[in-house]
Amino acid sequence: MHYGAERIGVTVLPTSVGNTERQIDLMQDLGATAIACTPSYLLHIGEVAEKMGVNIQKDTKLRTGILGAEPWTEGMRARMEEWLGIKAFDIYGTSELSGPMFTECSEQKGVHIWSDLALVEVIDPNSGEPLEPGERGELTITILQKEALSMIRYRIGDISVLDDEVCACGRTHPRIQRIQGRVDDMLIIRGINVFPSQIEYALMAIPDVGQHFQIVVDRKGALDDLLVRFELNKEAFSNKINDLMLIRQNVEHRLRISLNVNVDVELLEPGSLPRFEGKSKKVIDRRAL
Amino acid sequence: METGKHVMRQISIFSENRPGRLAAIAHALGEEKINILAFSIAEANGFGVVRVLVDQPEKAHEKLLSLGFNTAFTDVIAVKMKDQPGGLYDVAKILGDSGVNIEYSYAYSGKEGAVLILRVDHVDDAIKRIKSSGAALLERSVFH
Ligand SMILES: [Zn+2]
């Protein structure tokens, strides 16, 4: 990605993660217009900037975020775009394929797979059989132009849906929809499959919920117990206990509807959950023996 | 009747129900040399709302916000009570007779005597009713 950007004439600052204050200083000093990182790290940058008194929208030239390496949702995109005043694009790849390779176009309607470079198929993770476009399953990739280390129907483990319709941008390269999780991320709660991304999707549609949440799975007796802890949005607070209890009920209700399992929720103060600079760790599974 | 001078600015703070949260709030206010005149904690399953009356509400609000607390201003009124047996009854009776609906209340007894802090639905209306029923309301200037 670094060399690709340089090839098209972009000045690249390989700052990696960490020392976030300094990164924000650099962004201001050098007038950075785009950033590539994980969605969680961009959230972290936004929060650190607020603490420093820096308004990303007004005090920096940032207008593009290229975000990937962990699953994120449309709700999170809408929030980040509004909050930071940027356009946020999804990027996809895995370390086995030399990192990020595919990204969204200006339509922001799924990641284009350059079909002269790679063949992506969606399979049923249990049977290994290919699925139809539009069906959800595990991605496999065949790299068409790699010679030394060939990869044929390599199972990445990510769950998505393939869309082979022509994109509104005019490109005919197929698109994969948002990565909905990994085959090995899937939680089985009382026999029902639950992806952390479904929980994020439901939470991000509720304005009272802040950006950060945590999923805790435990076993109480013979039953799996799903607890979702979320930070209250800074603006969501009224002084009435009743309003807060309604928020909790509403979140429980919405999660139950979208996941089909009962969920306990816990309201947290803003800033109380751990922040991550790389890939975030949102799931704590205490069921392990 | 001028009612504005009787409206106090209470600060309400959302707090998780875990050890040290009240200490964190109290420490922040102490650091800014803000004096707490009265406070109460309302608890629900797993979280609570801390309500404080302080001498410098703006400064307290700003400080708590900067520490990331969810805080909001709430208008409350303060009714004077006699600091003696039956004092609360006198006031409670007046409130009942005047038809003022109370959302919540808490009390303290200090230098200026005993005081009942009230959060009511319609502040201006409540002030008028309480005064015309014969109870005394503290003025904002007593606190801040
Ligand atoms: Zn396109």
Side-chain angles (χ1 to χ4, degrees), chain A residues 160-283:
Chain A
S160 183
V161 175
L162 196 67
D163 180 354
D164 62 357
E165 299 282 309
V166 177
C167 179
C169 73
R171 293 182 181 90
T172 54
H173 298 277
R175 284 163 293 152
I176 49 171
Q177 290 178 8
R178 280 202 179 275
I179 302 301
Q180 295 173 1
R182 292 186 51 78
V183 173
D184 43 358
D185 276 350
M186 191 178 75
L187 299 165
I188 301 175
I189 310 290
R190 287 172 227 157
I192 293 171
N193 298 349
V194 172
F195 285 98
S197 57
Q198 285 176 284
I199 295 175
E200 175 173 325
Y201 185 83
L203 289 178
M204 291 303 124
I206 306 171
D208 299 319
V209 176
Q211 324 278 23
H212 296 272
F213 65 95
Q214 188 180 60
I215 300 161
V216 182
V217 191
D218 210 340
R219 183 164 284 143
K220 284 200 181 137
L223 280 181
D224 299 322
D225 197 64
L226 181 61
L227 170 70
V228 174
R229 313 174 74 215
F230 66 92
E231 292 183 7
L232 205 58
N233 197 339
K234 275 186 195 148
E235 283 81 41
F237 176 62
S238 97
N239 67 82
K240 292 187 190 170
I241 281 269
N242 237 358
D243 292 351
L244 294 165
M245 289 168 68
L246 285 176
I247 291 176
R248 182 165 64 192
Q249 275 173 21
N250 179 35
V251 174
E252 273 178 356
H253 178 71
R254 301 252 209 126
L255 286 173
R256 187 169 56 240
I257 286 178
S258 73
L259 306 177
N260 237 336
V261 286
N262 273 336
V263 182
D264 284 329
V265 307
E266 191 177 326
L267 273 65
L268 303 176
E269 293 168 23
S272 57
L273 285 173
R275 301 300 197 247
F276 299 93
E277 300 198 335
K279 295 192 187 196
S280 60
K281 184 164 169 28
K282 293 192 175 114
V283 181

Side-chain angles (χ1 to χ4, degrees), chain B residues 34-52:
Chain B
I34 294 164
N35 197 17
I36 299 173
L37 305 157
F39 90 84
S40 84
I41 301 174
E43 200 267 339
N45 178 19
F47 60 84
V49 174
V50 177
R51 300 174 172 130
V52 287

Side-chain angles (χ1 to χ4, degrees), chain B:
Chain B
M1 193 191 301
E2 213 246 289
T3 56
K5 64 182 178 186
H6 294 297
V7 180
M8 321 278 172
R9 306 197 82 189
Q10 170 194 273
I11 294 175
S12 310
I13 308 142
F14 170 70
S15 170
E16 288 167 31
N17 197 355
R18 61 182 161 92
R21 298 318 290 151
L22 182 60
I25 294 166
H27 180 253
L29 297 179
E31 246 184 4
E32 296 293 312
K33 306 248 182 300
I34 294 164
N35 197 17
I36 299 173
L37 305 157
F39 90 84
S40 84
I41 301 174
E43 200 267 339
N45 178 19
F47 60 84
V49 174
V50 177
R51 300 174 172 130
V52 287
L53 268 185
V54 297
D55 56 352
Q56 302 166 79
E58 301 287 345
K59 197 172 167 190
H61 181 65
E62 214 170 280
K63 172 73 177 177
L64 292 167
L65 268 188
S66 77
L67 292 174
F69 282 100
N70 282 60
T71 55
F73 283 119
T74 314
D75 289 341
V76 294
I77 53 179
V79 187
K80 249 185 190 164
M81 296 187 286
K82 282 188 207 125
D83 195 2
Q84 64 186 46
L88 175 60
Y89 171 70
D90 293 344
V91 172
K93 187 162 186 322
I94 289 173
L95 293 171
D97 293 347
S98 62
V100 172
N101 191 26
I102 300 167
E103 201 178 291
Y104 57 80
S105 80
Y106 49 102
Y108 80 91
S109 164
K111 279 175 288 200
E112 304 84 12
V115 177
L116 188 64
I117 317 272
L118 301 173
R119 165 70 182 164
V120 293
D121 286 342
H122 305 286
V123 179
D124 286 341
D125 180 55
I127 290 173
K128 284 175 195 157
R129 283 166 184 248
I130 291 169
K131 286 184 96 171
S132 58
S133 307
L137 285 163
L138 290 186
E139 290 190 12
R140 178 204 289 258
S141 55
V142 175
F143 291 101
H144 43 257

